[in-house]
């Protein structure tokens, strides 16, 4: 192979020059070596030229976010719960996916709930509640504002520079959007760690390790009890999680929007069924058909899509989606679109790939549907009696146990299975029937048991109802014709003054409706 004639030979340099070059390479900071792949201009002439001739007008058409009307009440509730204390709610930092590329940013849900920010806003930001003398808090959103073209960040910072990632808000425009006073985050850590000997500080942990470390270091300097401090941090996160248990009107509207996007994605997935069996990764074809709608109409998916065919439908969190789709299979599609506001839907439908359920598949499907109907009825009864969140699950389990008994599969009586000492029916449905839904697909996860499972249903709660039955191919305790079939039916439910509303009622749900759906969009597949 011939060499580049313009390149010097390896041994053409004097030994001393080669040694100097080697030492220079060794001295280069390891983190900076990523820049060896490209030529970054650094001359004074370039720096002067690149900083000139840019329109530096303030951002135009800045308007309050849709949530800005609702977030003051949320922040006021936090302020009232923790009087006299400094509260720090980080958005979180960018997370490296590989080498020098990051995952798409998604802020911590507590930060989103209290600021109303959307999409990929706002890495490294902090929402800080500073106690006022007397009562209440001054709330400030500390974030990294737009850097002018006369700064090096503008053209050289691939994470934050406007040349690389587009225009960012300045302090004034962010205040308009959120209704919150703003400050440059360059001095935020000093602001949140000052006077720790005289003011109590709580921070939401798990969002930004740098912020946590700085606060913990400041606590150690004043000889604070770290164990007690961390318990206080947990109490803040618990309250912020429980604050989302009852949704306001804006949140409910956003969930409706996410569900509407999800319906369009399901239609795309159903329409793709005929092509799936011919593809070596038919499950992934279904997955990507759904996710195209989620990304086109919303921010993306709220969680990893489950597109599970045949025996894979019996693996509860099957997200690999690399299997084949065979005629005669049931395909379980568990998917949810995330709106630009980052509220997510969570819907599951089980689809007959060939357009019709077999007799055994129909028996399984109808059993799961009956369990879901029983759960709906239990939730709706809150208008006439006290209904706990756990009662919804119990109602579904009564049906599941009875149907397994009717199938001849349950090894004990229904009553024994439903007892605390039994639970044999749970072999075929080990997950819960419901979870809260909102900014997180499993929303309010840090809430106390008495505020979650043991809580009374009240208007404004939004949760799923999602019973299932899963008969794994390797399960020798069920008849052979049941094996390899998994069914889940999942809807998103709003508790109302009059009962409950199925927010996903627009999705085909009964066996006949699902078969008609497949026939209409997939031509019978």
């Amino acid at each position: 192979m011939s060499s580049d004639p313009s390149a010097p030979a390896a041994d053409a340099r004097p030994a001393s020059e080669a040694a100097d070059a080697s030492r220079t390479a060794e001295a280069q900071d390891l983190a900076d070596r990523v820049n060896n792949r490209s030529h970054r201009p650094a001359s004074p002439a370039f720096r002067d030229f690149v900083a000139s001739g840019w329109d530096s007008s303030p951002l135009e058409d800045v308007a309050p976010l849709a949530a800005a009307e609702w977030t003051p009440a949320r922040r006021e509730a936090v302020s009232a719960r923790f009087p006299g204390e400094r509260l720090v709610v980080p958005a979180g930092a960018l997370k490296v996916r590989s080498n020098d590329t990051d995952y798409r940013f998604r802020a911590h849900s507590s930060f989103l709930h209290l600021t109303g920010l959307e999409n990929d806003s706002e890495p490294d930001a902090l929402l800080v509640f500073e106690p006022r003398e007397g009562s209440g808090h001054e709330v400030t959103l500390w974030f990294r504002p737009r850097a002018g073209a006369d700064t090096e960040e503008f053209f050289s910072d691939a994470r934050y520079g406007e040349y690389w990632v587009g225009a960012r808000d300045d302090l004034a425009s962010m205040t308009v959007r959120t209704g919150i006073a703003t400050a440059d985050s360059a001095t935020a850590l000093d602001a949140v760690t000052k006077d720790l000997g005289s003011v109590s500080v709580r921070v939401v942990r798990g969002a930004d390790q740098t912020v946590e470390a700085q606060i913990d270091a400041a606590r150690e300097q004043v000889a604070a009890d770290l164990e007690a401090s961390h318990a206080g941090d947990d109490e803040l996160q618990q309250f912020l999680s429980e604050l989302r248990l009852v949704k306001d009107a804006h949140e409910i509207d956003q969930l409706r929007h996410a569900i509407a996007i999800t319906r369009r994605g399901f239609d795309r997935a159903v329409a793709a069924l005929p092509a799936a069996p011919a593809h070596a990764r038919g499950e992934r074809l279904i997955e990507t058909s759904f996710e195209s709608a989620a990304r086109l109409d919303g921010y993306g998916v709220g969680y990893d899509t489950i597109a599970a065919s045949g025996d894979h439908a019996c693996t509860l969190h099957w997200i690999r989606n690399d299997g084949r789709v065979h005629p005669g299979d049931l395909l379980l599609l568990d998917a949810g679109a995330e709106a630009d506001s980052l509220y997510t839907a969570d819907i599951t439908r089980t689809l007959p790939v060939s357009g019709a359920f077999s007799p055994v598949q129909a028996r399984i499907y109808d059993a799961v549907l009956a369990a879901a109907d029983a759960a709906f009825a239990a939730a709706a009864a809150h208008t006439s009696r006290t209904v706990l969140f756990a009662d919804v699950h119990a109602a579904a389990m009564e049906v599941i146990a009875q149907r397994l008994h009717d199938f001849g599969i349950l090894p004990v009586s229904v009553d024994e299975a439903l007892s605390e000492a039994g639970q044999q029916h749970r072999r075929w449905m080990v997950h819960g029937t419901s979870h809260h839904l909102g900014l997180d697909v499993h929303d309010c996860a840090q809430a106390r048991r008495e505020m979650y499972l043991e809580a009374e249903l009240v208007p404004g709660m939004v949760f799923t109802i999602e019973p299932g039955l899963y008969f794994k191919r390797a399960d020798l305790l069920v008849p052979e014709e049941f094996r390899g079939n998994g069914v889940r039916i999942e809807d998103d439910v709003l508790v109302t003054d009059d009962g409950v509303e199925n927010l996903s009622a627009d999705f085909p749900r009964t066996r006949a409706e699902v078969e008609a759906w497949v026939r209409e969009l997939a031509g019978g597949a």
Side-chain angles (χ1 to χ4, degrees), residues 74 134 138 209 256 294 336 371 386 427:
R74 303 171 192 171
E138 295 288 345
Q209 293 181 350
R256 291 185 192 279
T386 297
R427 174 187 175 101

Side-chain angles (χ1 to χ4, degrees), residues 398-470:
E398 288 181 11
V399 174
I400 291 293
Q402 182 62 56
R403 292 302 180 100
L404 288 168
H405 178 270
D406 295 344
F407 293 162
I409 293 173
L410 197 63
V412 296
S413 70
V414 171
D415 288 342
E416 183 177 346
L418 291 171
S419 70
E420 285 297 320
Q423 299 294 302
Q424 289 85 349
H425 61 292
R426 298 299 298 279
R427 174 187 175 101
W428 297 284
M429 183 186 155
V430 299
H431 62 79
T433 302
S434 301
H435 59 78
H436 281 268
L437 183 68
L439 281 166
D440 293 334
V441 65
H442 297 149
D443 209 27
C444 315
Q446 286 74 42
R448 291 164 291 174
R449 181 181 181 89
E450 60 266 30
M451 296 294 290
Y452 204 126
L453 283 177
E454 298 169 1
E456 181 180 347
L457 296 191
V458 296
M461 287 182 170
V462 178
F463 52 81
T464 64
I465 289 179
E466 51 176 310
L469 279 171
Y470 314 94

Side-chain angles (χ1 to χ4, degrees), residues 91 147 206 243 347 363 383:
L243 186 62
I347 309 292
R363 293 181 70 192
T383 58

Side-chain angles (χ1 to χ4, degrees), residues 69-85:
E69 179 183 350
W70 302 92
T71 54
R74 303 171 192 171
R75 294 192 294 272
E76 182 57 38
V78 177
S79 178
R81 174 61 182 80
F82 299 100
E85 299 186 78

Side-chain angles (χ1 to χ4, degrees), residues 349-388:
R349 288 296 183 265
T350 305
L351 310 167
V353 173
S354 298
F357 294 91
S358 73
V360 168
Q361 291 169 348
R363 293 181 70 192
I364 300 169
Y365 191 94
D366 289 348
V368 173
L369 183 63
D373 288 344
F376 267 96
H382 79 89
T383 58
S384 58
R385 60 180 175 85
T386 297
V387 176
L388 305 184

